[in-house]
């Protein structure tokens, strides 16, 4: 079919598509199911990418509170996106762009801007075809040049927000041959009080999906355990799919084991067969086992790391948890994360700091919790506890040094205290004229030069690194000379912008203005996290532990 002259939609882009929807309730793990499917197809030799559709009206996730949607994940091009894109990058081992995240806000904004520019030549602009064509266009353009595109539709089938997207998928399926499109539906299979796996929620969810013209080809049942064979048969009967198309996705201790679980179920083979890819796949004995080898690697050591933050929600710091896990895989270490609420540290959580082998202070915005974070940094500095500060953690390490080492009373970040007499952290110069909040920070991948002979150079094994950023404030250049005294050193920079700090009087004290956790992968652990964990392991080896008498309260 030719490109539509009004909507510029080209239905010829892309090759194979797997659409993943969810039913019954949100938070079922359809993103992990989608990512696991992509991982297995990649193991079989196919070039796989992914698209996450978010039906909210926000243009992107940048202005959303982590309590609303978990962490804001940053892509290499500066896109601020849903945390599921982080899962796709980690599972598929690819770097994505903001084009791989489609939101209602982004789609409507584009169509309305076109209408205002007169691009539709006076026609009535409607959901169909203008919005639906824009959705399909975005999916196809993201899929161009790949073998398989996994498309996850956020939310739950039946939500009013997702209706235009599901309608777009219905149209999409009619534009393609049957063997080029596969619909996977992830549903909940709960237990009744008497221990019976119940299929009714799945039946109703599929009924809702079919009412809008979509028939699932594959059903994945989320349950605490594997689905009983009789349950699979019942689901197949009432949902009009073959029994072979019903798969279990039971709970596992580690999400990185989900690809192994669904591979054992045969999901990858069924998907390839339905998409007509079985003959193109690598033979079983030639497929990559790298993922399985990594995630099943024995971990014969164990450490405790305190994560000092203000959002009491693991999803708010997902990439940090994953980066610590990756460092653990790399060093064959079980890394236990001790949550420390920066707001409650003095009253309830201070003991966790003293119990931890290392301390991580993550990024964040706003004043809440900053006093607790500064105190955690002081503790790490004065007790030689390995420390890793990320973004705001880097900035507060500067504040702590200014206050407690240099004696600059009431020194602070101008973001948190605009009236501070010593704004050692100040607004980026290019931000002074900025009015909009969304998409206006210093975002995405930027290169940092590293001084030779420093801890940072040892960590990266290079004289530069490229990492992802998300900040509006930086070290105030007017204070750099004063700050670089009494053993603090800025060892990484981008022109006159300070990017990395370290302490020469400390076994491991590293702060980064950027977010190294966003580039960490199971098979490519982030260098700062690896060095952080390795330092802890060296210090906690038998005969090298810090004694209680050495600790300064």
């Amino acid at each position: 079919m030719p490109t539509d002259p009004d909507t510029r939609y080209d239905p010829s882009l892309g090759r194979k598509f797997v659409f993943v929807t969810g039913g019954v309730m949100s938070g079922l793990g359809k993103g992990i199911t989608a990512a696991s499917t992509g991982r297995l197809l990649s193991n079989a030799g196919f070039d796989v990418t992914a698209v996450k559709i978010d039906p909210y009206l926000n243009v992107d996730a940048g202005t959303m509170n982590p309590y609303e949607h978990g962490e804001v994940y940053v892509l290499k091009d500066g896109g601020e996106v849903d945390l599921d894109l982080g899962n796709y990058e980690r599972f598929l081992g690819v770097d994505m762009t903001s084009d791989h995240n489609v939101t209602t806000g982004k789609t409507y904004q584009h169509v309305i801007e076109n209408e205002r520019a007169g691009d539709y030549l006076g026609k009535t602009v409607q959901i169909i075809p203008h919005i639906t064509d824009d959705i399909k266009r975005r999916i196809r353009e993201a899929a161009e040049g790949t073998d398989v595109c996994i498309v996850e539709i956020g939310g739950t089938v039946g939500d009013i927000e997702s209706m235009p997207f599901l309608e777009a998928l219905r149209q999409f399926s009619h534009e393609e041959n049957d063997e080029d499109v596969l619909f996977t539906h992830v549903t909940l299979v709960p237990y009744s009080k008497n221990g019976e796996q119940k299929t009714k929620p799945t039946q109703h969810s599929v009924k809702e999906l079919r009412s809008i013209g979509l028939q699932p080809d594959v059903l994945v049942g989320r349950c605490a355990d594997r689905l009983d064979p009789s349950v699979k048969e019942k689901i197949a009967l009432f949902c009009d799919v073959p029994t072979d198309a019903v798969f279990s996705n039971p709970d596992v201790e580690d999400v990185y084991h989900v690809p192994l679980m669904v591979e054992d179920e045969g999901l990858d083979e069924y998907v390839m067969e339905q998409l007509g890819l079985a003959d193109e796949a690598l033979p079983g004995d030639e497929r990559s086992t790298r993922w399985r080898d990594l995630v099943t690697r024995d971990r014969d050591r164990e450490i405790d790391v305190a994560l000092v933050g203000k959002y009491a929600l693991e999803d708010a710091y997902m990439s940090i948890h994953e980066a610590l896990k990756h460092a653990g895989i790399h060093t064959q270490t079980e890394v236990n994360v001790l949550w420390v609420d920066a707001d409650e540290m003095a009253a309830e959580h201070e003991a966790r700091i003293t119990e931890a082998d290392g301390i991580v202070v993550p990024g964040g915005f706003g004043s809440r919790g900053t006093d607790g974070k500064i105190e955690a940094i002081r503790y790490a500095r004065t007790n030689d506890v390995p420390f890793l500060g990320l973004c705001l953690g880097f900035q507060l390490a500067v504040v702590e040094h200014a206050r407690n080492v240099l004696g600059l009373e009431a020194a602070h970040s101008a973001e948190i205290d605009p009236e501070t007499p010593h704004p050692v952290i100040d607004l980026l110069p290019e931000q002074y004229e900025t009015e909009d909040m969304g998409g206006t920070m210093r975002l995405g991948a930027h290169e940092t030069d590293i001084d030779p002979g420093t801890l940072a150079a040892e960590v990266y094994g290079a004289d530069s690194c490229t990492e992802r950023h998300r900040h509006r404030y930086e070290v105030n250049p007017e204070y750099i000379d004063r700050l670089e005294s009494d053993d603090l050193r800025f060892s990484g920079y981008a022109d006159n912008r300070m990017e990395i700090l370290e302490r020469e009087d400390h076994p491991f004290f590293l702060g980064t203005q950027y977010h190294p956790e966003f580039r960490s992968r199971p098979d490519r652990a982030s260098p700062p996290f690896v060095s952080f964990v390795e330092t802890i392991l060296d210090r906690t080896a038998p005969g090298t532990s810090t004694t209680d008498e050495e600790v300064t309260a």
Side-chain angles (χ1 to χ4, degrees):
M1 290 184 289
T3 301
D4 189 292
D6 291 334
T7 63
R8 302 170 188 168
Y9 172 56
D10 182 355
S12 67
L13 296 179
R15 185 184 175 202
K16 305 282 185 179
F17 299 87
V18 178
F19 296 107
V20 182
T21 55
V24 184
M25 58 180 284
S26 61
L28 274 181
K30 62 180 178 295
I32 296 296
T33 302
S36 298
T37 303
R39 176 69 260 167
L40 295 176
L41 293 175
S42 180
N43 289 349
F46 297 105
D47 186 3
V48 182
T49 191
V51 172
K52 173 65 190 299
I53 290 175
D54 287 304
Y56 45 66
L57 277 169
N58 304 65
V59 173
D60 59 36
T63 58
M64 297 175 71
N65 188 306
Y67 279 125
E68 293 279 336
H69 230 250
E71 78 172 358
V72 177
Y73 188 81
V74 180
L75 302 171
K76 66 179 182 180
D77 67 349
E80 297 173 283
V81 297
D82 182 87
L83 57 81
D84 278 315
L85 271 292
N87 285 326
Y88 293 137
E89 287 202 338
R90 289 186 284 267
F91 275 67
L92 300 179
V94 298
D95 289 340
M96 297 187 174
T97 67
S98 53
D99 290 339
H100 292 83
N101 187 211
V102 182
T103 70
T104 298
K106 188 182 291 186
T107 299
Y108 276 71
Q109 182 184 56
H110 177 76
V111 170
I112 290 170
E113 286 175 351
N114 284 349
E115 186 275 329
R116 291 289 81 188
D119 289 355
Y120 301 124
L121 302 176
K123 293 185 178 180
T124 302
V125 180
Q126 298 176 291
I127 302 297
I128 304 172
H130 299 92
I131 294 296
T132 52
D133 273 8
D134 192 72
I135 293 167
K136 293 184 292 180
R137 174 185 64 81
R138 291 175 184 275
I139 292 171
R140 289 191 181 277
E141 289 178 356
E144 187 176 8
T146 62
D147 296 321
V148 182
C149 181
I150 311 286
V151 183
E152 178 197 352
I153 296 82
T156 305
V157 169
D159 293 345
I160 192 169
E161 294 92 344
S162 61
M163 289 301 181
F165 294 99
L166 295 175
E167 168 58 23
L169 301 193
R170 187 192 67 79
Q171 297 175 21
F172 201 109
S173 66
H174 286 289
E175 298 168 0
E176 293 287 343
N177 296 323
D178 290 344
E179 67 270 18
D180 292 336
V181 175
L182 188 81
F183 286 93
T184 298
H185 191 55
V186 182
T187 72
L188 177 67
V189 181
Y191 276 106
S192 65
K193 286 188 176 181
N194 63 0
E196 181 185 0
Q197 292 178 337
K198 304 300 292 183
T199 66
K200 193 63 71 176
T202 297
Q203 294 178 43
H204 282 291
S205 179
V206 171
K207 180 181 178 182
E208 181 74 30
L209 193 63
R210 294 172 73 177
S211 72
I212 53 180
L214 297 175
Q215 167 63 41
D217 302 297
V218 172
L219 291 173
V220 178
R222 285 286 293 112
C223 187
D225 304 298
R226 290 183 184 270
L227 301 183
D228 294 334
S230 61
V231 170
K232 287 186 176 182
E233 291 174 3
K234 187 174 182 180
I235 290 173
L237 175 64
F238 284 98
C239 297
D240 199 23
V241 298
T243 304
D244 290 346
V246 181
F247 296 90
S248 301
N249 188 359
D251 294 345
V252 292
E253 290 185 1
D254 186 340
V255 293
Y256 293 155
H257 290 174
V258 174
L260 315 185
M261 184 65 67
V262 296
E263 182 180 32
D264 291 343
E265 284 274 309
L267 177 62
D268 54 333
E269 297 294 344
Y270 188 84
V271 168
M272 288 187 285
E273 181 183 341
Q274 296 302 305
L275 290 175
L277 294 172
D279 292 340
E280 299 179 39
L282 292 172
D285 59 355
E286 295 181 19
R287 295 182 190 179
S288 173
T289 61
R290 173 73 169 157
W291 183 272
R292 181 180 290 271
D293 295 341
L294 282 171
V295 303
T296 59
R297 179 181 291 176
D298 289 336
R299 302 175 198 179
D300 52 13
R301 293 173 288 184
E302 188 171 353
I303 62 173
D304 296 326
V305 172
L307 177 60
V308 186
K310 68 176 183 178
Y311 303 113
L313 178 71
E314 184 171 328
D315 279 0
Y317 303 105
M318 177 176 284
S319 290
I320 294 174
H321 281 272
E322 297 306 305
L324 287 168
K325 187 190 298 183
H326 303 158
I329 291 172
H330 182 84
T331 59
Q332 295 184 263
T333 304
E334 191 67 40
V335 181
N336 302 316
V337 178
L338 308 179
W339 166 246
V340 178
D341 191 318
D343 265 347
E344 304 292 334
M345 191 174 72
E348 300 177 18
H349 286 192
E350 191 170 8
R352 291 190 180 181
I353 288 287
T354 62
E355 294 168 1
D357 301 310
I359 296 172
V360 176
V361 176
F365 297 90
S367 61
R368 187 170 67 82
T370 54
D371 289 342
K373 292 179 181 180
I374 291 171
E375 178 56 25
I377 295 167
R378 184 200 66 79
Y379 179 86
R381 176 179 60 82
T382 58
N383 290 287
D384 286 348
V385 177
F387 168 79
L388 183 59
L390 311 172
C391 197
L392 180 61
F394 160 89
Q395 295 177 359
L396 294 182
V398 172
V399 172
E400 193 278 329
H401 177 77
R403 288 183 184 181
N404 299 328
V405 178
L406 302 183
L408 300 180
E409 187 175 351
H412 219 317
S413 165
E415 174 190 12
I416 297 163
D417 180 9
E419 303 303 321
T420 176
H422 296 291
V424 291
I425 303 296
D426 207 354
L427 193 66
L428 292 164
E430 61 265 32
Q431 293 288 321
Y432 282 107
E433 303 301 322
T434 299
E435 296 182 1
D436 290 342
M437 295 294 288
T440 56
M441 287 187 278
R442 183 171 180 246
L443 295 164
H446 296 276
E447 186 174 7
T448 295
D449 294 319
I450 300 174
D451 285 334
T454 60
L455 173 62
E458 181 183 342
V459 166
Y460 281 98
D463 58 8
S464 68
C465 66
T466 299
E467 300 280 11
R468 300 179 189 180
H469 296 66
R470 184 176 185 247
H471 65 109
R472 206 180 295 275
Y473 289 77
E474 67 171 348
V475 176
N476 189 337
E478 296 180 5
Y479 282 86
I480 290 174
D481 288 341
R482 274 189 281 179
L483 289 169
E484 282 198 307
S485 59
D486 289 302
D487 297 309
L488 184 140
R489 176 176 182 176
F490 293 108
S491 54
Y493 42 85
D495 296 325
N496 64 341
R497 185 162 286 153
M498 300 301 103
E499 294 276 3
I500 305 174
L501 68 78
E502 57 188 71
R503 297 197 66 88
E504 296 173 341
D505 60 347
H506 196 282
F508 189 94
F509 192 102
L510 190 73
T512 66
Q513 180 60 80
Y514 48 78
H515 291 267
E517 66 271 23
F518 290 145
R519 293 193 69 243
S520 188
R521 308 281 186 271
D523 60 348
R524 191 191 70 202
S526 168
F529 283 88
V530 171
S531 295
F532 173 69
V533 169
E534 287 177 337
T535 301
I536 293 173
L537 291 171
D538 289 343
R539 287 170 53 81
T540 56
T544 61
S545 298
T546 302
T547 64
D548 292 339
E549 287 74 18
E550 293 174 309
V551 173
T552 303

